[in-house]
Amino acid sequence: MSLRLEKGARLVAATHNPGKARELAALLEDRFEVVSAAELGLAEPDEPETTFVGNALVKARAAADATGLIALADDSGLCVAGLGGAPGVHSARWAGPDRDFAHAMDLVARRLSESTSEETDAWFICALAVAWPGGPMVAVEGRVDGTLSFPPRGSRGFGYDPIFTAEGETLTFGEMDPAAKHAMSHRARAFAALKAALF
Amino acid sequence: MSLRLEKGARLVAATHNPGKARELAALLEDRFEVVSAAELGLAEPDEPETTFVGNALVKARAAADATGLIALADDSGLCVAGLGGAPGVHSARWAGPDRDFAHAMDLVARRLSESTSEETDAWFICALAVAWPGGPMVAVEGRVDGTLSFPPRGSRGFGYDPIFTAEGETLTFGEMDPAAKHAMSHRARAFAALKAALF
């Protein structure tokens, strides 16, 4: 076999968010037919690992084995130097079941003020994994470095975007034009790496 | 880039066991120049993940980023159905710092006798991961299914081999001729999958 994704292939996106499955299809330049794990009736797997790549692989592996299709999964989050890399793989969990990122950003600010380190260096990571049914797996990571600032600014992004300013920028990810943000984001870099490896 | 391992490439084996590095080189048909992480003075990384593939990737990633070389890492272990998959990624840990597998096999027998399930189905898993410096990662798994029996029999293998009999066999991995075992082992299957993917 060859570790290539052939144009027109049917992929399962290991996500239960139909919007995310569509976004993945677009990021892959609509070269593939992308169906979501939810559409195929798959259960949502745990995210038991301690790394983004580990979680993405577990999800891709499970989806590929359950469907017999090549599967694509992602995992991403924010790592803060002054918090020893937290929230990291727990980034979504810090927002709670209601996905309340105002609360999560507040928690980051509070923990940083309680921390002995006031290091506001931070980075976003996006891991992508592709698994072939019964076969190999490929994973890549994209990363963007920056600093945190409080209070949150801007309402254009999502998640922790309003407290994150990328290196060399003055606007937070929450204030930036979406196209400008997407050109430099951890997610864009991960997809570029995936395409370089598999297209 | 292409996810191929070109003949003659210099690889770092993410292991601190020189014997294991040589064995990896042999399993890769001596197509590569394999140096061990120990020879390059790398620290031994944690194995923090909950899956074999996750651990192999963490080790390969760390070695590739520290050396600038393509890195190869493995992680393997025994999973027992009646113990919910244990010892799994903790297979080496059950043998303690002295790598006392007589003790570890005894622990498996004891836990099984205390368990509500007397299910002796078991399987060995070997995960292999290759990481390119600053680049993508590829991972594969090999598996062999069998059953456990006590007391341990045979002194030819290592680790949990003396309690494991592969499906369709009558001898334990500890009793089998090494060549016969190597032809069917989880490790052989993982290397076959890796070669199919990357050679």
Side-chain angles (χ1 to χ4, degrees):
Chain A
M1 72 169 294
S2 152
L3 293 183
R4 293 269 151 208
L5 290 177
E6 300 304 332
K7 213 165 168 161
R10 190 159 188 246
L11 303 186
V12 55
T15 172
H16 278 66
N17 180 337
K20 202 161 162 186
R22 275 192 302 274
E23 187 206 23
L24 291 177
L27 283 163
L28 293 169
E29 301 165 7
D30 290 316
R31 285 163 58 112
F32 311 103
E33 184 195 342
V34 178
V35 291
S36 80
E39 289 172 83
L40 296 174
L42 298 186
E44 209 154 354
D46 291 339
E47 299 188 2
E49 303 287 291
T50 61
T51 60
F52 298 106
V53 161
N55 279 329
L57 279 168
V58 165
K59 289 189 276 187
R61 179 81 272 145
D65 290 347
T67 62
L69 297 171
I70 298 173
L72 175 70
D74 71 340
D75 196 43
S76 57
L78 175 72
C79 300
V80 182
L83 302 179
V89 291
H90 304 300
S91 292
R93 221 166 300 166
W94 280 32
D98 296 334
R99 301 182 63 73
D100 181 352
F101 281 96
H103 168 74
M105 289 187 284
D106 192 50
L107 200 53
V108 171
R110 229 160 30 187
R111 294 262 175 102
L112 263 180
S113 71
E114 292 161 7
S115 154
T116 51
S117 161
E118 285 174 45
E119 185 59 76
T120 57
D121 287 358
W123 57 96
F124 276 116
I125 298 268
C126 173
L128 295 173
V130 174
W132 279 259
M137 294 156 268
V138 171
V140 295
E141 277 193 340
R143 170 178 174 147
V144 57
D145 287 276
T147 52
L148 301 186
S149 58
F150 302 92
R153 299 198 320 264
S155 55
R156 301 180 92 168
F158 59 89
Y160 296 90
D161 282 356
I163 56 173
F164 183 85
T165 304
E167 260 174 17
E169 301 291 322
T170 50
L171 301 177
T172 69
F173 266 10
E175 294 172 313
M176 276 177 88
D177 175 62
K181 176 195 152 191
H182 290 146
M184 64 177 307
S185 73
H186 50 305
R187 207 165 172 76
R189 287 173 182 171
F191 273 92
L194 192 77
K195 290 176 196 175
L198 297 181
F199 279 18
Chain B
M1 72 168 294
S2 152
L3 294 182
R4 296 267 152 210
L5 290 176
E6 301 303 334
K7 214 166 165 160
R10 190 157 187 247
L11 302 186
V12 55
T15 173
H16 278 67
N17 180 336
K20 201 161 162 185
R22 276 192 302 276
E23 187 207 24
L24 291 177
L27 282 163
L28 292 168
E29 300 164 7
D30 290 318
R31 286 163 58 112
F32 312 104
E33 185 196 341
V34 178
V35 292
S36 80
E39 288 171 84
L40 296 174
L42 299 186
E44 208 153 356
D46 292 337
E47 299 188 1
E49 302 287 292
T50 61
T51 61
F52 297 106
V53 161
N55 279 330
L57 278 168
V58 165
K59 289 188 277 187
R61 175 83 273 144
D65 291 347
T67 62
L69 297 172
I70 298 173
L72 174 70
D74 72 340
D75 195 45
S76 57
L78 175 71
C79 301
V80 182
L83 301 179
V89 291
H90 305 298
S91 292
R93 221 166 301 167
W94 280 32
D98 297 333
R99 301 184 63 75
D100 180 353
F101 282 96
H103 167 75
M105 289 187 285
D106 193 49
L107 200 53
V108 170
R110 229 161 29 186
R111 294 264 173 103
L112 263 180
S113 71
E114 294 162 5
S115 154
T116 51
S117 161
E118 285 176 44
E119 185 59 76
T120 57
D121 288 358
W123 57 97
F124 276 117
I125 297 268
C126 173
L128 295 173
V130 175
W132 279 259
M137 295 156 265
V138 171
V140 296
E141 277 194 341
R143 169 178 174 148
V144 57
D145 286 276
T147 53
L148 301 186
S149 59
F150 304 91
R153 300 198 319 266
S155 56
R156 303 180 90 168
F158 59 89
Y160 297 89
D161 282 357
I163 56 172
F164 183 85
T165 304
E167 260 174 16
E169 301 293 322
T170 51
L171 300 177
T172 70
F173 266 11
E175 294 172 313
M176 277 177 86
D177 174 62
K181 177 197 150 188
H182 289 149
M184 63 178 306
S185 73
H186 50 304
R187 208 165 169 77
R189 288 173 182 172
F191 273 92
L194 191 78
K195 289 175 196 175
L198 296 181
F199 280 21

